[in-house]
Every structure is written in structure tokens, then in C-alpha cells.
Amino acid sequence: MDLDSLFGIDLDQPHFHIDRILDIAGLSRDINGLSALRELIAENGRDHPIVSIAKRQYALKALKPLLDRGLLPYDAHFQAKEIKTATDNDRRYAAEDKLLQLCLVIATGRTPRQLQSQNFKPSIDILRELPRRSHFERFWEILADHTRDLVMGYQQARAANAPAAKQSFWRRLFS
């Protein structure tokens, strides 16, 4: 995947649905083809929340190389420009904004409209100003914050349903 493929994508959907976002971003085939994800779907069903969380994690990992390249510095005047595609620099800046928006949508599980109506922080402008290697880590933190309860609940339910032989030594010792 390259940055130019994100230029002009429409993330403004009425509801967040990870499969639709993956289709829009061109990541659907790669992520749905992962054997670990197929196993998770076989074990839990396609509509289980943990499957959606896993897809979101894999999507962020797929976008990490684009984030690691570094972004152009924040331009306070970019949004005020009438023509935002006049130069290669402008097109790159717009594509980077789409990348940041895509990552934020994936990390939060919310649409751009929902994020805007909730005045979600950090904004795209704030995220752009992070040091070069911090973008992926920040999006991963946001994803973890928004999914922690579901993941922990899933892990606890799975541990409770696992046969005693598969549970850890310490779990068996203290149960």
C-alpha cells in the first residue's frame, strides 16, 4: 500500500463497520486472508466483537509503514486553501491527512462525523505534530483504550471455558 492510494478516499460513512473501512482503504483482501484471523472467525463467528477488534489491530499494523515514514509538518493554512491539490506537496499533505483520519477511525471505532461531533482529542492536527516514530504507538494506545474492556472480557471468558490442562500452572494453583 502506498500513500497515494489514500488520496481522496471517502471515510464519511453513516456507521462504523470495519469491513467497509477495510474495503475503502484497500486492505480487506490482505487482512481477511490472514490465517490467525480466519481461525478467530472459525472459533467465534464473523460477527463477534473480538473479530472486529482483531481486524482493527491488523489494519493499524498494515498502515504502520506509512506512518513510520514521517509526515510533513503541520500547516495551519492548508484547510483554508481553495485548491488543495495544486502541488505535489499539497497532494501529499492531503493524503497524509487521510492516513491520519483513517488510523483514527480504525483506532476509535467511530466515523469521522462521530469524532467531530464529540470533539475528539487528539485531533488530526495534534497527531500530525507528534515525533516521527510516535504516530503508530499513539494510534495503538487509542485502540487499546477503546477496546480494553472487550478484550479483557474475552480473555476471561476464554480462560474460564478452557480445559484445565490448557490453563496456566498459576491459574490452576490458585483456583
Side-chain angles (χ1 to χ4, degrees), residues 53 70 77 101 114 116 122 135 139:
I53 292 168
H77 304 291
Q101 187 178 35
Q114 291 168 329
Q116 187 175 21
H135 293 99
F139 286 120

Side-chain angles (χ1 to χ4, degrees), residues 84-97:
K84 296 178 181 154
T85 59
T87 66
D88 288 340
N89 195 51
D90 286 348
R91 284 189 291 278
R92 178 176 171 199
Y93 194 91
E96 288 175 356
D97 270 1

Side-chain angles (χ1 to χ4, degrees), residues 90-152:
D90 286 348
R91 284 189 291 278
R92 178 176 171 199
Y93 194 91
E96 288 175 356
D97 270 1
K98 284 294 182 177
L99 171 64
L100 292 171
Q101 187 178 35
L102 173 63
C103 290
L104 193 56
V105 164
I106 291 168
T108 61
R110 297 183 181 133
T111 66
R113 281 187 208 168
Q114 291 168 329
L115 292 170
Q116 187 175 21
S117 71
Q118 295 168 354
N119 200 20
F120 185 82
K121 298 291 183 204
S123 67
I124 298 299
D125 299 337
I126 293 168
L127 289 167
R128 183 179 279 283
E129 293 178 346
L130 289 174
R132 181 178 181 179
R133 293 279 182 191
S134 299
H135 293 99
F136 175 78
E137 287 81 13
R138 184 63 181 119
F139 286 120
W140 197 261
E141 288 171 9
I142 293 168
L143 176 63
D145 290 345
H146 282 85
T147 60
R148 184 172 288 112
D149 293 338
L150 288 169
V151 171
M152 289 178 70

